[in-house]
Amino acid sequence: DRDLPYESYLYRCMSGSRAGTIWEYLELINVGIIIFIPLIVIIVTTVWLLAFLRKVTGLHKQALLVVLSVSFVFILSYCPLLAYNVTYLFANPSIDFYRLGIFLVFTSSASNPFLYLLTSKKFKHFVIVKIRRLSGKGVSNFMITD
């Protein structure tokens, strides 16, 4: 029976020696299931949507641009965390790299409304109408322009 020290700054339990323990395999499964597989699915579907983008027009094209922009930000934000976790299996990477990865993951989620504002006219219209209603100005003098 061996005690596992707890590193509070990483919020994970670590064995004193990772070689040959179940923790090494669990970490590999964790990286594969939680980060790597979803990232590969997003990359493959994004590439497929890019190929499909040439064939569509109008609202469908705008919807595809919204999905693609969110996908690109997701891919870019998860790559550092994936790199940290893969590096962690073989070496002891810097905690700052881990913090950057976590920060980018949260930034990805927080950036979605702004991406929708930039890429979707309907969403922009919806937000402006809600802001005007909340501010008491109404929407009668509001008109969307391209």
Side-chain angles (χ1 to χ4, degrees):
D1 192 32
R2 183 167 79 172
D3 289 337
L4 299 175
Y6 182 74
E7 296 179 359
S8 62
Y9 62 90
L10 278 179
Y11 300 106
R12 41 166 86 164
C13 291
M14 311 283 295
S15 66
S17 169
R18 293 185 309 196
T21 66
I22 190 73
W23 302 108
E24 185 175 315
Y25 300 109
L26 289 175
E27 188 69 27
L28 186 61
I29 291 170
N30 180 35
V31 170
I33 292 174
I34 295 177
I35 299 173
F36 187 70
I37 292 173
L39 194 60
I40 292 299
V41 169
I42 296 285
I43 290 170
V44 168
T45 56
T46 300
V47 169
W48 179 78
L49 286 172
L50 279 172
F52 187 68
L53 186 62
R54 285 186 261 147
K55 301 175 185 176
V56 295
T57 58
L59 288 176
H60 296 292
K61 190 168 192 163
Q62 184 178 356
L64 272 176
L65 289 174
V66 172
V67 171
L68 287 173
S69 65
V70 170
S71 296
F72 280 129
V73 169
F74 179 86
I75 291 166
L76 291 175
S77 67
Y78 268 82
C79 282
L81 189 60
L82 176 64
Y84 172 84
N85 282 319
V86 169
T87 306
Y88 181 78
L89 294 172
F90 307 105
N92 193 11
S94 168
I95 187 66
D96 294 330
F97 194 52
Y98 175 76
R99 289 180 182 147
L100 173 67
I102 294 297
F103 173 76
L104 289 175
V105 167
F106 286 118
T107 303
S108 169
S109 299
S111 69
N112 286 345
F114 300 105
L115 290 172
Y116 300 149
L117 277 172
L118 292 172
T119 57
S120 173
K121 293 175 188 172
K122 285 186 177 185
F123 186 76
K124 185 186 292 187
H125 175 70
F126 170 79
V127 169
I128 291 172
V129 166
K130 291 298 178 185
I131 289 172
R132 286 183 169 257
R133 282 191 184 149
L134 287 173
S135 67
K137 293 184 178 180
V139 292
S140 60
N141 61 353
F142 174 71
M143 187 170 170
I144 245 183
T145 58
D146 288 336

